[in-house]
Amino acid sequence: MSGSAVWHPFTQHATEPVPPTIIRTEGAYVETREGKRILDAISSWWVITHGHRHPKIVEAIRHATETLDQVIFAGLSHEPAEQLAEALVDLAPAGLDWVFYSDSGSTSVEVALKMALGFHRNNGAPRSRIVVMEHSYHGDTIGTMSVGARGVFNAAYEPLLFEVDTIPFPAAGLGQEALDAFERLAHGRKVAAFIVEPLVLGAGGMLMYPGSILAELKRIAERTETLFIADEVMTGWGRTGTMFACEQAGIAPDILCTSKGLTGGSLPLAATLATDAIFRAHYSTDRARTFFHSSSYTANPIACAAALANIGVWNDEPVAERVASLSRMQAQMIARFSKDARFDNLRTIGTIAALDLRVANAGYLAEVGPKLRAFFLDRELLVRPLGNVIYLLPPYCVTSNELERLYAAIDEAADLASDIR
Ligand code: PLP
């Protein structure tokens, strides 16, 4: 026991070391009390896009606090939320005309699921079945765990999780199988919604699949009047090479969830965007058809101001070029392992690169996971493998020298697994 009262997330306090205390963040780095500068190669759980404490976002936050703090968002509105909603509608795939705010990726998904059920019920044809993709992750609340992969993380809560139908992950060669499964379910069951992480399943192991499959899934959803929910919580804001991953499949979902990079990673905020048809299904003189959802900090003005500043950075700085350049560097640098027998399944999409370390016991609880994490931290690198899956998801300000350091460390780290291969 460290004397701290903090219970950390996804942390086994009995086996993990006392975490370093961070006293400052800047660019691609987080700095400890002891003066270590740790290169944040996972963008602090995938939230930081441009870099920590982008000056324009920091300034916008400071400025917003001079006039506003939290304001109840039922019955009142404010400029930062109004302006941000307009900007999001402009940025998002066509047809997503309504913006509902919440405060985390999980809540944005909960909102999406509730909107989907409300839509069907208010239209007089209730549907409640949700179809999900194998290995998905959508959050850690009861609802989002229900639509995510079942496993060690949620075994204890299983009795509370609702049943869903699952289609196989469309791994190479299995695309048609996934499509056929969705077709069968969507025709047979009157499905309320299909929820999916577009192009890459993050926490499930950085599993990537082609846009053509995503586009076909969308077509099946359309044909069967199944609402299509794109969970872009991780993939949004340039991570996969385009602003939203759906763009690469040329699709516009019925509902889109965004959080993490929405504020550039500076403050917690989320938005669930929906079509006019979904809004209309809740628009009525009958108050029972209201969309009954809120949380105290909905549309926090300071977070909205940060998100507006983030969009300003996208507009005023060459962010798309930075994303393209980082994407190229990732693809080039990971290629050094293409013939390396210690690794398997090298893959990149946009700014994300991942590879599997060959070990006897793969999976999230692979014993090599904590060893790798400690190895990287010793070298002042923040890399947090998903079991034996090592991935780099850095902020867009990372330099080629910094990436070189990371790949050199991965090369060295692979030998750690030699005793368990
Ligand atoms: N959806 C996806 C695709 C995610 O990757 C995550 C978090 O990693 C979430 C939802 C949940 O977001 P949050 O942790 O902000 O609740």
Side-chain angles (χ1 to χ4, degrees):
M1 299 285 173
S2 66
S4 163
V6 176
W7 191 341
H8 287 268
F10 263 75
T11 299
Q12 179 42 267
H13 282 263
T15 57
E16 294 186 33
V18 176
T21 298
I22 301 304
I23 56 164
R24 191 183 148 78
T25 60
E26 185 159 28
Y29 291 89
V30 300
E31 298 175 19
T32 71
R33 192 159 50 196
E34 293 72 32
K36 283 189 168 187
R37 288 183 82 231
I38 300 172
L39 178 56
D40 185 355
I42 56 163
S43 300
S44 280
W45 257 342
W46 319 342
V47 303
I48 303 295
T49 48
H50 315 294
H52 285 275
R53 287 197 311 117
H54 188 291
K56 289 178 187 159
I57 299 177
V58 171
E59 182 46 38
I61 292 170
R62 199 174 282 132
H63 184 70
T65 59
E66 285 170 10
T67 49
L68 286 165
D69 60 2
Q70 182 61 34
V71 178
I72 182 175
F73 207 59
L76 296 178
S77 196
H78 50 75
E79 277 299 316
E82 296 289 345
Q83 287 171 14
L84 178 59
E86 238 176 81
L88 288 174
V89 168
D90 282 348
L91 274 177
L96 293 164
D97 295 337
W98 294 92
V99 176
F100 192 96
Y101 291 109
S102 61
D103 33 41
S104 72
S106 299
T107 52
S108 73
V109 171
E110 295 278 0
V111 165
L113 297 171
K114 287 175 68 171
M115 280 179 177
L117 264 71
F119 170 83
H120 293 291
R121 184 173 188 266
N122 289 351
N123 283 346
R127 296 181 177 198
S128 56
R129 202 79 190 173
I130 307 289
V131 175
V132 308
M133 185 177 278
E134 183 187 21
H135 304 309
S136 296
Y137 177 80
H138 298 288
D140 278 338
T141 55
I142 296 293
T144 57
M145 281 192 294
S146 298
V147 293
R150 308 294 161 97
V152 64
F153 330 96
N154 45 43
Y157 327 113
E158 180 88 39
L160 292 187
L161 306 188
F162 59 78
E163 257 186 57
V164 294
D165 291 307
T166 305
I167 64 166
F169 175 73
L174 298 176
Q176 195 55 48
E177 210 175 295
L179 295 174
D180 291 346
F182 187 38
E183 187 94 50
R184 260 193 318 274
L185 287 165
H187 279 290
R189 278 202 182 266
K190 293 209 179 302
V191 173
F194 172 63
I195 180 165
V196 71
E197 297 163 82
L199 303 188
V200 49
L201 274 51
M206 295 295 158
L207 304 173
M208 300 172 191
Y209 64 97
S212 55
I213 298 286
L214 191 64
E216 199 49 49
L217 289 166
K218 175 67 170 67
R219 276 191 281 275
I220 296 169
E222 269 168 30
R223 282 202 298 273
T224 55
E225 291 172 28
T226 302
L227 293 177
F228 191 100
I229 304 172
D231 176 355
E232 293 249 17
V233 168
M234 185 200 73
T235 50
W237 304 98
R239 217 53 95 168
T240 68
T242 45
M243 179 60 92
F244 292 106
C246 283
E247 292 167 30
Q248 293 178 50
I251 61 161
D254 299 296
I255 302 177
L256 183 147
C257 306
T258 181
S259 184
K260 294 198 188 265
L262 170 58
T263 59
S266 60
L267 285 174
L269 182 69
T272 307
L273 278 65
T275 60
D276 194 49
I278 294 169
F279 178 81
R280 292 274 148 206
H282 294 85
Y283 185 84
S284 168
T285 49
D286 175 2
R287 289 170 65 199
R289 291 164 69 118
T290 304
F291 184 54
F292 290 113
H293 189 93
S294 74
S295 55
S296 311
Y297 284 100
T298 298
N300 176 267
I302 298 157
C304 289
L308 276 168
N310 166 47
I311 294 172
V313 172
W314 274 89
N315 290 337
D316 301 341
E317 296 185 18
V319 181
E321 285 82 350
R322 277 178 213 148
V323 164
S325 151
L326 172 55
S327 304
R328 272 193 304 276
M329 289 194 288
Q330 288 277 53
Q332 279 160 10
M333 289 192 197
I334 201 172
R336 78 185 62 190
F337 300 126
S338 59
K339 293 198 174 65
D340 191 325
R342 299 171 302 169
F343 298 105
D344 205 7
N345 203 10
L346 274 56
R347 54 204 184 272
T348 66
I349 183 167
T351 70
I352 309 170
L355 71 182
D356 303 350
L357 192 55
R358 280 188 210 270
V359 290
N361 297 308
Y364 188 84
L365 289 186
E367 62 185 295
V368 75
K371 272 197 192 179
L372 287 170
R373 211 186 306 159
F375 172 92
F376 288 116
L377 203 53
D378 267 359
R379 281 150 190 79
E380 303 189 8
L381 302 172
L382 183 55
V383 179
R384 218 184 135 87
L386 298 155
N388 63 314
V389 176
I390 303 178
Y391 71 91
L392 300 179
L393 192 154
Y396 310 151
C397 63
V398 75
T399 65
S400 73
N401 283 346
E402 287 161 345
L403 271 188
E404 276 295 347
R405 250 183 85 200
L406 286 161
Y407 279 96
I410 291 174
D411 196 354
E412 223 189 304
D415 290 330
L416 273 186
S418 56
D419 52 330
I420 39 180
R421 240 194 313 267

